[in-house]
Amino acid sequence: MLAVCVDVPGGPENLRVGTVPKPRPKDGEVLIKVHATALNRADTLQRRGLYPPPPGESDILGLEVAGTVAEVGPGVRGPWVPEERVMALLCGGGYAEYVAVPEELLLPVPPGLTLCQAAAVPEAWLTAYQLLHLVAEVKAGEVVLVHAGASGVGTAAVQLARLAGAVPVVTAGSAQKVDAAVALGAAAGFLHSQGDFADGVLGYTGGHGADVILDCVGGTMWERNVRCLAVDGRWVLYGTLGGKAVQGDLLGHLLKKRGRLITSLLRSRSLQYKADLVKAFSERALPFFTDPHQPALKPVIDSVFDLQDIGEAHKHMEANRNKGKIVVIVTPQNQGGE
């Protein structure tokens, strides 16, 4: 099968499409014919050699796919059948024509979504759902500050926070990205590159601050995060795009707020944890994608690239140009269908 290969860690120019062995489904796995995958920041880190896959997992990039069932492996208990439209959360292997997935990590594609749209759901939306509900335990009426509010996870978190009855506010790198997040339901938005977003959050909340902060940036924002964190607030760190080092009295300032700093990753979680997450998301969020006329939840797609242009797709992400998800078509429509 065709797959994206990284022979030497480095820049986007090191990505190439080559031929690799087609996987066979093991016990309890389903083989998916991949129509589309979507980019995540973890892909760019793995390409550079900074974020290896968990032991025993595919070293092919790609954490989410949508496609059709090609083969049902031995021991599968679910109702999956050949040609059924599915999407899946992966530990790796998504940048390929086929991928074998434990059946617990499969979700049916809602009737209102194309396979291209569905590819933008698993990693971003399950991450956002996990951060809000399993980690932060968000409650109705709480203010949720979402950094990178126009990113894949950010656009999902804004919508899921609204669905939970919370009040999302965002930071973003441009006025256009702020506007995009507000259009999805963010109550307010602030440019993290201009002024102090902490002042904006405190001003919007009348001095209360954010009850929950979803932070993929890390080091460069810690002082502003703590300053606008509400008393007894939860600061959830799930990335360090702005650096890992912290200079200053972080613990002292956090202690004054009785704040909780919680870190979370999804890729390294156990299969059982992910299975429970997929089940909860399928029951409580997935039905809100189904209305084709007025869905309460919708994946946001920034751009679509062909597999042969995977290097350009990575460049687009690393230039921070995208609002929403970057999707890559693996199997052309006349072969995989929508």
Side-chain angles (χ1 to χ4, degrees), residues 29-111:
E29 290 186 338
V30 173
L31 184 68
I32 299 174
K33 180 177 178 61
V34 178
H35 172 68
T37 185
L39 268 62
N40 292 279
R41 288 285 177 178
D43 301 343
T44 66
L45 294 173
Q46 183 175 334
R47 187 204 71 222
R48 293 162 56 197
L50 302 177
Y51 190 34
E57 300 294 345
S58 172
D59 59 2
I60 296 173
L61 304 181
L63 301 179
E64 56 193 340
V65 295
T68 55
V69 173
E71 183 181 344
V72 177
V76 171
R77 299 179 180 181
W80 312 107
V81 295
E83 302 302 322
E84 182 175 2
R85 300 190 330 147
V86 294
M87 51 190 181
L89 178 70
L90 312 173
C91 285
Y95 289 18
E97 290 183 305
Y98 292 89
V99 63
V101 185
E103 66 167 321
E104 296 93 335
L105 303 186
L106 263 64
L107 302 94
V109 175

Side-chain angles (χ1 to χ4, degrees), residues 155-239:
T155 55
V158 166
Q159 296 178 70
L160 288 170
R162 276 293 186 195
L163 187 65
V167 181
V169 298
V170 304
T171 67
S174 70
Q176 292 81 7
K177 290 184 176 183
V178 168
D179 291 343
V182 169
L184 290 170
F190 312 98
L191 296 176
H192 58 67
S193 58
Q194 296 181 12
D196 190 336
F197 69 79
D199 289 335
V201 173
L202 290 169
Y204 176 79
T205 60
H208 175 81
D211 301 288
V212 173
I213 299 176
L214 302 186
D215 180 16
C216 58
V217 179
T220 57
M221 285 191 175
W222 81 261
E223 290 179 285
R224 289 170 286 174
N225 278 335
V226 175
R227 194 158 72 81
C228 70
L229 184 68
V231 174
D232 294 319
R234 290 93 74 202
W235 170 15
V236 180
L237 179 70
Y238 68 100

Side-chain angles (χ1 to χ4, degrees), residues 313-333:
H314 273 234
K315 290 178 183 177
H316 186 66
M317 170 168 274
E318 292 184 312
N320 294 318
R321 299 191 191 109
N322 58 300
K323 297 186 289 291
K325 295 288 286 187
I326 301 169
V327 173
V328 175
I329 301 298
V330 176
T331 304
Q333 292 184 27

